[in-house]
Amino acid sequence: MKTVQHSIVLALITGIVCSLSAAADVGVIDMERLIKLHPRATADRAVLEQYVKDFEDEREDMVEDLKKLGEEFEALRKDAEDVSLSDKVLESKRALAKAKIDEIRQMERTMRENTSTRQKELTSQELRMRKRIVSDISKIVEKIAKKKKLELVLDSTGVGIGGYAPVIYYTEKYDITDDVIGEMPAAE
């Protein structure tokens, strides 16, 4: 029995030692910092900001058009309530008011659809840009990891599935973020 316990303790110690030696082949990066400092980040941010500005300008124009339609409807509605007009003219004014309401509803639908489409386009564009930057960074990380003989590189800033960072603690000697920044191409 003592031999079995002794073997188990020896196996556990061997496992721990092997785990510790494997940990030496691990590096960490600050991906948020790398993304912010990537040469394309500033240009990409400017493109996205311009896209948002264009959308806001377009939306303001649509709001102005909608406001005008509302004013036109109010004028038609008032005309449709004028008792001094003949029944035929009143009916015509009511029909015009109803058509204007339909036009307002269509404009509101168009605005909602446009907003939804623009938000999807913005999200998609932002995702494509981020993937491109992350791909560039990943290639540099891979190059550095091979040079330093690292078997694993973790993002110290990411949030895992459980809602917490996958890297709880590390010493600075494992951080290769500055090495990655040094390998990034200059801004274009």
Side-chain angles (χ1 to χ4, degrees), residues 31-44:
M31 186 60 96
E32 288 178 15
R33 183 172 163 221
L34 292 172
I35 289 171
K36 285 179 187 171
L37 294 175
H38 191 277
R40 287 188 182 150
T42 303
D44 286 355

